[in-house]
C-alpha cells in the first residue's frame, strides 16, 4: 500500500462526506457527513505520519483526535435530540429556532 493510494481513499471518503453533509437536511445525516470528512482527515494525517516516520508516536495524537470527535458527535446528537423533542422534527431548517 502506497501513500498515494491511501490519499486517494481519504479524498474519496472526504468527497462522500462533503456530499452527504451538503445534500441532506436531516441533522443526523449532516453529522454523519461531517464525521466522514473528519475520518478522511484523520486517515490522511495517519498516512502521512506513517510514511514519513513509522513510529507509534503519531498514533497517540490520532487517538486524541478520535476521542475529541466522539465528544463532538455526542454533543451534536444531544442537540439533534433536543431539536426533535422541542419541535417534533429533525430538519436543519428548524435548528435556527432553538434559541426561543
Amino acid at each position: 500500500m502506497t501513500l498515494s493510494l491511501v490519499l486517494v481513499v481519504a479524498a474519496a471518503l472526504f468527497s462522500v462526506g462533503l456530499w452527504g453533509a451538503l445534500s441532506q437536511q436531516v441533522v443526523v445525516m449532516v453529522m454523519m457527513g461531517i464525521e466522514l470528512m473528519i475520518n478522511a482527515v484523520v486517515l490522511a494525517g495517519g498516512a502521512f505520519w506513517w510514511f514519513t516516520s513509522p513510529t507509534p508516536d503519531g498514533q497517540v495524537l490520532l487517538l486524541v483526535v478520535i476521542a475529541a470527535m466522539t465528544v463532538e458527535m455526542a454533543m451534536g446528537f444531544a442537540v439533534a435530540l433536543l431539536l426533535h423533542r422541542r419541535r417534533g422534527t429533525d430538519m436543519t431548517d428548524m435548528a435556527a429556532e432553538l434559541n426561543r
Side-chain angles (χ1 to χ4, degrees):
M1 185 168 291
T2 63
L3 178 62
S4 61
L5 179 64
V6 175
L7 292 179
V8 166
V9 170
L13 193 63
F14 190 86
S15 300
V16 169
L18 183 65
W19 177 80
L22 292 178
S23 67
Q24 299 294 323
Q25 287 188 349
V26 178
V27 175
V28 175
M29 296 299 287
V30 171
M31 289 188 330
M32 287 174 64
I34 292 170
E35 183 79 18
L36 279 175
M37 290 189 293
I38 294 172
N39 282 333
V41 171
V42 167
L43 179 65
F48 274 123
W49 206 303
W50 180 256
F51 283 103
T52 57
S53 106
T55 60
D57 298 338
Q59 293 176 359
V60 175
L61 177 65
L62 293 178
L63 285 175
V64 169
V65 169
I66 290 172
M69 275 185 355
T70 304
V71 171
E72 176 242 340
M73 280 295 133
M75 294 304 294
F77 283 126
V79 169
L81 182 64
L82 176 69
L83 180 65
H84 182 67
R85 284 184 181 172
R86 292 269 172 102
R87 303 286 183 222
T89 185
D90 58 350
M91 305 299 277
T92 56
D93 298 340
M94 299 299 241
E97 300 173 2
L98 275 179
N99 60 357
R100 296 182 215 164

